[in-house]
Amino acid sequence: MSDFKREQRKNDHVEIAMAQTDAKLSDFDEMRFVHHSIPDIDVKDVELTSELSDFTLDIPIYINAMTGGSDWTKQINEKLAVIAREAGLAMAVGSTHAALRNSKMASSFSVVRETNPEGIIFSNVGADVPVDKAIEAVDLLNAQALQVHVNSPQELVMPEGNRTFSTWMDNLARIVSRVDVPVIVKEVGFGMSKETIRQLQKIGVRYVDVSGRGGTNFVDIENERRSLKDMNYLSNWGQTTVESLLESTSFQKDMNILASGGVRTPLDAVKCLALGANAVGMSRPFLNQIENHGITETLEYVDQFVAQIKTIMTMLNARTIEDLKQSQLVFSPKLESWINQRQLEL
Ligand SMILES: Cc1cc2nc3c(=O)[nH]c(=O)nc-3n(C[C@H](O)[C@H](O)[C@H](O)COP(=O)(O)O)c2cc1C
């Protein structure tokens, strides 16, 4: 595939994603907190720090992987990096493949580190990338962690996508053993099963981002790019973010579980944390904010988002993210059925 086509594809993804709307029914609405009337904490007592095995996040929200690899998305990366710096959020870049193939594209990613020298930044590659390129991707950003995305449904619906997956697990194992920052194996909106998480744990992965269904939908994005647009029957493929977090519960003691996919409100984010996520990522909301409203309004949006997380934690009597995990939750029959059929132990 030519560099030009690759650049065009990234722009297509951004453009189609920005026009997407979220699933009307969200699994976040299928779980509720039990309300108790008299909190014994004040808003000022709430503390949002999240300790992961290798670093600490002051705020448990991060800007998830999207952009870089074209002129337009370099500008987006730069603006998102300003948001990350000013708001104190961790930030992932989009797949660095473009830069690893063509050094002219490197600045569309490295601009994130230049803009935010002290910030927590995750680099990003695909599961088929050779180990030396994975190391290069970390160096390019002096990244604190490397996201490796696993996106088989996207590749399979993508007209020009990858058709070879049997090499992924061995390659992931090589990357984990050679890269000297934490490796976050990350879905792209199809969620994860306990079986996948177990396989990943076995090869030494300590971080997963379950990135579930409910928000940006890469079956729909790639289907839009097919001439016959004939694969939208796969729109509902995969586990939602809530189902994926439920799948992850038995690994939460030993692994760092990150949640993303369709997180749109502070309440969605708090639900992820209550289900055991250490941090919560959002992609399209940040993209739409920054492109449609600019830096000042996006910073106000983040400010409000974080303040409202504290509001909800106060109602839940949770001073810390750890306290949130003790919250009482009630699941709808639909989620209860998933828990039972999948024999999940909560
Ligand atoms: C425009 C766009 C480009 C994306 N590119 C990447 C990518 O390069 N690598 C990756 O791991 N995920 C990529 N993603 C997936 C997101 O990181 C995330 O997993 C997914 O969008 C679900 O989150 P959301 O519902 O908050 O958007 C992209 C998402 C969007 C919207």
Side-chain angles (χ1 to χ4, degrees):
M1 192 184 189
S2 72
D3 290 337
F4 173 73
K5 279 204 172 141
R6 200 169 274 271
E7 202 170 328
Q8 187 56 46
R9 179 170 72 192
K10 183 47 96 175
N11 290 343
D12 284 353
H13 284 167
V14 173
E15 210 168 296
I16 302 171
M18 284 182 68
Q20 242 179 20
T21 49
D22 295 313
K24 285 194 183 57
L25 288 176
S26 159
D27 258 4
F28 291 115
D29 302 324
E30 304 282 336
M31 58 180 279
R32 292 167 56 198
F33 288 111
V34 178
H35 168 67
H36 300 294
S37 305
I38 308 174
D40 58 22
I41 60 167
D42 304 330
V43 174
K44 67 169 175 28
D45 299 327
V46 175
E47 165 60 58
L48 290 184
T49 312
S50 181
E51 303 274 352
L52 288 88
S53 301
D54 301 79
F55 41 84
T56 301
L57 301 178
D58 295 336
I59 296 170
I61 299 291
Y62 57 98
I63 302 173
N64 217 351
M66 286 184 287
T67 51
S70 66
D71 293 335
W72 178 29
T73 59
K74 175 181 179 176
Q75 291 170 31
I76 298 175
N77 261 350
E78 184 171 6
K79 288 185 276 184
L80 290 175
V82 172
I83 302 301
R85 183 188 69 209
E86 296 302 314
L89 305 182
M91 171 179 169
V93 297
S95 171
T96 56
H97 278 198
L100 301 175
R101 289 165 48 93
N102 173 359
S103 58
K104 274 197 252 144
M105 276 301 148
S107 70
S108 68
F109 298 94
S110 56
V111 66
V112 172
R113 177 54 81 198
E114 283 150 28
T115 306
N116 188 13
E118 310 294 331
I120 293 184
I121 296 172
F122 305 151
S123 194
N124 185 296
V125 293
D128 58 352
V129 75
V131 174
D132 55 328
K133 294 285 181 192
I135 294 169
E136 237 180 85
V138 173
D139 293 344
L140 175 66
L141 286 152
N142 197 11
Q144 277 84 351
L146 176 67
Q147 290 183 330
V148 183
H149 62 262
V150 287
N151 63 339
S152 53
Q154 178 187 5
E155 294 292 342
L156 286 162
V157 177
M158 187 190 298
E160 73 282 19
N162 192 354
R163 299 291 182 262
T164 310
F165 306 98
S166 55
T167 51
W168 278 12
M169 194 55 88
D170 286 346
N171 198 49
L172 279 169
R174 270 193 297 276
I175 293 174
V176 172
S177 69
R178 290 277 311 283
V179 169
D180 60 9
V181 294
V183 169
I184 304 168
V185 177
K186 169 182 180 300
E187 256 289 352
V188 301
F190 302 103
M192 279 193 197
S193 65
K194 62 182 177 187
E195 290 82 359
T196 300
I197 301 173
R198 185 174 303 120
Q199 281 177 302
L200 293 171
Q201 186 185 35
K202 272 201 184 129
I203 61 164
V205 173
R206 293 179 297 121
Y207 289 75
V208 296
D209 179 338
V210 298
S211 204
R213 174 162 62 79
T216 301
N217 185 321
F218 268 98
V219 159
D220 290 349
I221 291 179
E222 297 303 346
N223 188 53
E224 202 48 46
R225 299 178 60 246
R226 292 174 73 84
S227 52
L228 296 178
K229 306 194 192 316
D230 53 344
M231 291 187 80
N232 66 344
Y233 60 88
L234 286 179
S235 272
N236 284 335
W237 191 265
Q239 280 85 259
T240 64
T241 300
V242 172
E243 288 164 346
S244 304
L245 287 171
L246 293 168
E247 293 276 325
S248 79
T249 45
S250 58
F251 303 94
Q252 291 175 359
K253 260 199 328 305
D254 306 315
M255 294 175 79
N256 300 267
I257 308 290
L258 308 179
S260 67
V263 175
R264 297 297 177 258
T265 69
L267 183 56
D268 296 344
V270 171
K271 286 179 176 175
C272 289
L273 297 167
L275 284 174
N278 299 105
V280 181
M282 295 193 291
S283 293
R284 175 149 47 76
F286 284 115
L287 177 62
N288 284 341
Q289 279 293 331
I290 204 72
E291 285 304 272
N292 297 334
H293 304 291
I295 287 177
T296 309
E297 266 189 54
T298 305
L299 279 172
E300 176 63 23
Y301 161 81
V302 177
D303 239 30
Q304 281 303 313
F305 202 99
V306 173
Q308 289 170 32
I309 288 179
K310 289 187 173 178
T311 305
I312 299 163
M313 286 177 66
T314 308
M315 292 195 287
L316 290 169
N317 224 11
R319 271 173 215 270
T320 64
I321 307 294
E322 245 352 91
D323 289 350
L324 260 187
K325 295 179 183 162
Q326 311 305 320
S327 310
Q328 291 159 312
L329 294 165
V330 177
F331 298 110
S332 72
K334 181 172 157 251
L335 283 177
E336 203 183 8
S337 167
W338 183 277
I339 293 166
N340 291 336
Q341 291 186 53
R342 293 285 296 151
Q343 298 175 347
L344 303 177
E345 281 173 31
L346 301 193

